[in-house]
Amino acid sequence: MLKKRELHECQSLHSLMMDPAVSPYVRYACQSQEEFMFLTRQLIAEEEQGSVITRTILNEVGTAIGTIDLYHMVNQTGFLATWIGAPYFGQGYSQRAKSAFLTELFLEHDIQTVFMKIRKQNVRSRKAVEKLPYVKFSNDLYPEVTQAINVKQSIYDLYHVERATFLESHMELHHILAT
């Protein structure tokens, strides 16, 4: 489902990213495949330096269908950015990718809090994230972060996931599935 980023995926990922249903919501928007390749090289280098964690999202047959990143990593926190290609919308890939990525972040990288900023107009992403039991709406809980992401105008809502809440939610889910 997730794997480290590789340059050979850039062509297929770039074509998915350029879809008008996707491109307005991609953090690292690129106009050309060359620009996307350059950005991917940068992200791979930044991950080696420990300033970002970036993964490719795969479907069941191993096709690259999107990306998921943790950026602005400071004091055991960071911001999550996810995008999925339009042909894969509504199939649960985003939810599964977030679950797998958060598991990695909380268990392997000692991250304690993951923030998500979602454009108020991005109804699809907002509805998807609000379905996740471990995600909390956070505009009022973290007013300084909310203000920082909305410097010029209020275009983002803030959500967060705490390590303990996520792990507890997953333990409950595994218990329910096991019985």
Side-chain angles (χ1 to χ4, degrees):
M1 164 120 261
L2 297 181
K3 66 183 223 43
K4 288 194 175 204
R5 300 282 297 274
E6 295 182 44
L7 294 177
H8 70 85
E9 300 157 346
C10 288
Q11 183 177 359
S12 60
L13 285 172
H14 182 261
S15 65
L16 289 171
M17 183 176 66
M18 294 310 296
D19 187 301
V22 177
S23 60
Y25 307 110
V26 174
R27 172 174 165 69
Y28 304 109
C30 298
Q31 299 309 308
S32 70
Q33 188 174 323
E34 293 78 21
E35 186 182 357
F36 187 65
M37 178 100 52
F38 177 79
L39 174 72
T40 302
R41 273 192 197 102
Q42 276 188 307
L43 286 169
I44 291 168
E46 288 177 25
E47 180 160 11
E48 290 171 2
Q49 298 165 2
S51 61
V52 95
I53 300 170
T54 183
R55 299 289 178 265
T56 300
I57 302 169
L58 307 171
N59 67 4
E60 295 84 0
V61 296
T63 302
I65 63 169
T67 68
I68 189 164
D69 306 300
L70 189 71
Y71 64 97
H72 288 305
M73 294 169 50
V74 178
N75 298 327
Q76 298 177 305
T77 70
F79 279 83
L80 188 72
T82 308
W83 68 267
I84 302 277
Y88 306 98
F89 285 177
Q91 298 175 40
Y93 289 114
S94 181
Q95 183 175 1
R96 290 192 304 268
K98 281 179 178 67
S99 179
F101 194 56
L102 290 168
T103 299
E104 177 184 343
L105 296 176
F106 293 137
L107 296 180
E108 298 176 28
H109 297 283
D110 198 32
I111 299 295
Q112 296 298 313
T113 304
V114 173
F115 292 107
M116 291 176 258
K117 65 180 190 178
I118 299 177
R119 291 181 188 273
K120 293 176 186 275
Q121 73 199 43
N122 191 344
V123 176
R124 175 186 300 280
S125 289
R126 197 172 60 245
K127 284 183 177 181
V129 82
E130 289 174 352
K131 289 180 186 176
L132 303 174
Y134 47 82
V135 175
K136 303 295 179 220
F137 183 75
S138 307
N139 283 355
D140 296 331
L141 293 172
Y142 293 95
E144 67 287 349
V145 178
T146 302
Q147 186 176 13
I149 64 173
N150 290 298
V151 174
K152 295 178 183 172
Q153 60 184 0
S154 180
I155 59 172
Y156 296 105
D157 280 323
L158 181 69
Y159 295 82
H160 83 283
V161 180
E162 293 290 338
R163 180 182 192 274
T165 304
F166 176 79
L167 294 176
E168 181 179 305
S169 170
H170 266 57
M171 294 303 282
E172 289 175 13
L173 179 60
H174 289 299
H175 183 277
I176 290 169
L177 293 175
T179 56

